[in-house]
Amino acid sequence: MITGDGAYIKKINRSIILSKIIECGMISRADLSKITGLNKATISIQVSDLLGENLICETTLEHNVVGRRPIMLSINKEAGYVLGIDLDYKHIQYTVSDLGGNPVRYDSIALETDDYEDIVHLLIKHIKEYQNDYSNSYYGLVSVMIGIHGTVNKDDSIYFVPTYQWKNKSLKTDLNKELAITISIQNNANLSAYAERVYKHHESNNLLCIILTSGIGSGIMIDGKLLKGFHGYAGEMGHMIISKDGEECRCGNNGCWELYSSEPSLLARLSKQLDISKLTPDDVITLIAKQDPITLQIMKQYIIDLSIGLNNIINIYNPETLVLTSELLKMYPNAIDEIKSNLNSTVSQFGDIVISDFGNSSCAMGACALAIQRFLEVPELILTPTEDAVLIK
């Protein structure tokens, strides 16, 4: 039996009320009482506190019915902002979101260095600029959430980033030496899975998000919670071996799945076959549109190799929703149908397979969403920003 004093119960009620206000967008005190089951006195006290903290605001609706106009409650979106960062190889994405989950600013920079110290100094410089730019809001920039394309320990330290060959780095500690702001470090695929759950697949408690754009990573949601494993490394499915005598991987093994089914591996294979250096995803999309036979043949094998890994994952997790993050698959005709045609085992069962609408913005969007949840201290977050905001690139 879980018990608690009055302050603990009040905190629980506050988080329930706040999460419902966010989920509904706008809601009256009376409807809050009905949805939460809390009495009107409790609702009144909690709402008064939240208004005093500038976390919510009131709006009087116009209507043509005789009587009092309803007063609606909503999250005060401009009371503060969060910064989501996708620290990818040779590239950083910054997304600033308001407290309603709406991205209000997006910046992307190319990195010309692999050096850890140089990148730390660059992050400090940029974060300070964002802090200054949003200092006029009531809470300012409340926190920073950074997505890392590698393994992250449960204490937010970095265990290993294969592309940079960073090992045992305390990025959070190094940043906090010069920054007075809450900073969290998470695996990029976990953040992408969180974005899919919070912004789009609200009802999918068992969701897998497979990132194909930079190696292969996966975020796992089980019963609505992120699955991180004992050390925090769960989801490194790109290093699942599908060919024991295959190509050598940077992780030390041979035949890892990401050597055959990640977008970088596909680009490398096509570049070699077509004798074209620095082939880009846009180039591949153009070749597919032109029905280039070599491109189509390699794409067919790529989908077969991708399906082998997906089949293994489906057998292990039996997901309700399997989300693939890939710009190439989004542009490839009938990609999902081809993948499903390769998943013909009577054992492999799943709810649905979809291609993400977020594309390369999923990590930063998930970072913003998780930062909002932690700042507001709500048990569950359901965000419904405007369509163009979700699809920001």
Side-chain angles (χ1 to χ4, degrees):
M1 178 183 294
I2 298 175
T3 62
D5 58 16
Y8 177 70
I9 299 301
K10 184 177 181 180
K11 183 177 181 180
I12 291 176
N13 290 340
R14 169 195 169 93
S15 65
I16 292 172
I17 290 169
L18 198 50
S19 64
K20 289 302 178 184
I21 291 174
I22 297 168
E23 179 181 346
C24 295
M26 297 185 74
I27 188 171
S28 68
R29 288 169 173 80
D31 286 340
L32 259 180
S33 180
K34 292 177 184 177
I35 290 175
T36 62
L38 298 172
N39 62 51
K40 292 181 180 180
T42 298
I43 296 292
S44 179
I45 292 171
Q46 291 280 358
V47 165
S48 178
D49 289 344
L50 291 170
L51 287 169
E53 296 172 35
N54 281 325
L55 286 176
I56 64 174
C57 51
E58 295 179 314
T59 303
T60 302
L61 293 183
E62 297 290 340
H63 70 138
N64 298 321
V65 181
V66 175
R68 294 182 60 185
R69 291 178 294 177
I71 297 175
M72 307 298 286
L73 304 170
S74 60
I75 187 73
N76 185 0
K77 298 175 183 178
E78 298 177 359
Y81 297 86
V82 294
L83 175 61
I85 301 176
D86 182 357
L87 179 55
D88 202 349
Y89 184 60
K90 299 291 188 178
H91 185 250
I92 306 179
Q93 292 184 39
Y94 296 93
T95 299
V96 179
S97 167
D98 64 26
L99 295 183
N102 298 288
V104 297
R105 180 173 170 182
Y106 173 86
D107 298 301
S108 178
I109 68 163
L111 288 174
E112 298 179 356
T113 177
D114 291 1
D115 185 75
Y116 174 76
E117 296 297 333
D118 288 346
I119 292 175
V120 167
H121 291 313
L122 188 64
L123 286 168
I124 290 171
K125 173 178 177 289
H126 289 162
I127 292 170
K128 284 182 176 179
E129 290 172 355
Y130 286 111
Q131 283 183 287
N132 181 67
D133 290 346
Y134 293 91
S135 61
N136 290 332
S137 61
Y138 187 82
Y139 288 99
L141 190 70
V142 299
S143 67
V144 177
M145 184 76 64
I146 303 175
I148 300 295
H149 293 239
T151 47
V152 179
N153 295 307
K154 287 186 175 180
D155 64 358
D156 281 15
S157 62
I158 296 172
Y159 177 67
F160 183 48
V161 180
T163 50
Y164 283 109
Q165 290 295 299
W166 292 348
K167 296 181 180 179
N168 301 316
K169 298 294 185 181
S170 298
L171 179 60
K172 177 179 177 178
T173 301
D174 293 336
L175 292 175
N176 275 139
K177 289 176 182 177
E178 295 192 41
L179 294 168
I181 190 171
T182 300
I183 295 174
S184 299
I185 312 295
Q186 295 286 328
N187 170 265
N188 71 301
N190 285 342
L191 293 175
S192 293
Y194 192 73
E196 296 292 344
R197 174 68 159 79
V198 169
Y199 285 102
K200 189 170 181 68
H201 303 284
H202 300 152
E203 304 302 323
S204 293
N205 287 324
N206 296 286
L207 178 147
L208 285 176
C209 181
I210 310 296
I211 313 295
L212 304 173
T213 56
S214 177
I216 294 181
S218 62
I220 308 167
M221 302 285 293
I222 301 294
D223 295 331
K225 306 292 184 182
L226 280 170
L227 177 67
K228 295 186 178 182
F230 179 64
H231 294 99
Y233 311 156
E236 289 298 322
M237 296 176 185
H239 298 286
M240 171 175 57
I241 296 171
I242 66 169
S243 177
K244 68 181 182 67
D245 297 318
E247 301 171 29
E248 184 179 355
C249 181
R250 287 172 295 189
C251 77
N253 286 321
N254 290 73
C256 290
W257 188 32
E258 73 171 34
L259 297 176
Y260 303 90
S261 300
S262 67
E263 288 189 4
S265 69
L266 173 64
L267 292 175
R269 197 170 297 118
L270 271 172
S271 293
K272 182 178 181 180
Q273 290 290 323
L274 298 173
D275 195 21
I276 300 175
S277 62
K278 296 182 179 180
L279 198 66
T280 68
D282 287 339
D283 293 331
V284 178
I285 291 167
T286 300
L287 289 166
I288 292 171
K290 291 180 177 179
Q291 295 289 292
D292 176 71
I294 294 177
T295 302
L296 294 179
Q297 180 183 356
I298 290 177
M299 281 297 301
K300 183 177 181 179
Q301 184 60 50
Y302 170 79
I303 286 181
I304 291 173
D305 292 333
L306 176 62
S307 301
I308 291 171
L310 292 179
N311 185 77
N312 294 337
I313 292 168
I314 289 167
N315 284 338
I316 294 170
Y317 292 101
N318 181 219
E320 178 181 0
T321 304
L322 180 57
V323 183
L324 305 178
T325 299
S326 169
E327 292 299 314
L328 287 178
L329 290 180
K330 187 184 295 185
M331 301 302 297
Y332 184 71
N334 303 315
I336 294 298
D337 290 339
E338 281 197 32
I339 291 170
K340 287 182 177 180
S341 71
N342 288 298
L343 303 175
N344 51 18
S345 168
T346 56
V347 176
S348 299
Q349 298 297 317
F350 56 90
D352 197 12
I353 301 178
V354 298
I355 297 175
S356 174
D357 290 331
F358 288 101
N360 292 330
S361 66
S362 63
C363 172
M365 290 292 289
C368 289
L370 188 55
I372 292 169
Q373 183 195 20
R374 290 183 175 182
F375 172 68
L376 296 178
E377 297 182 305
V378 294
E380 185 178 26
L381 198 63
I382 294 179
L383 297 171
T384 310
T386 57
E387 184 177 350
D388 57 343
V390 173
L391 298 178
I392 188 171
K393 300 293 185 187

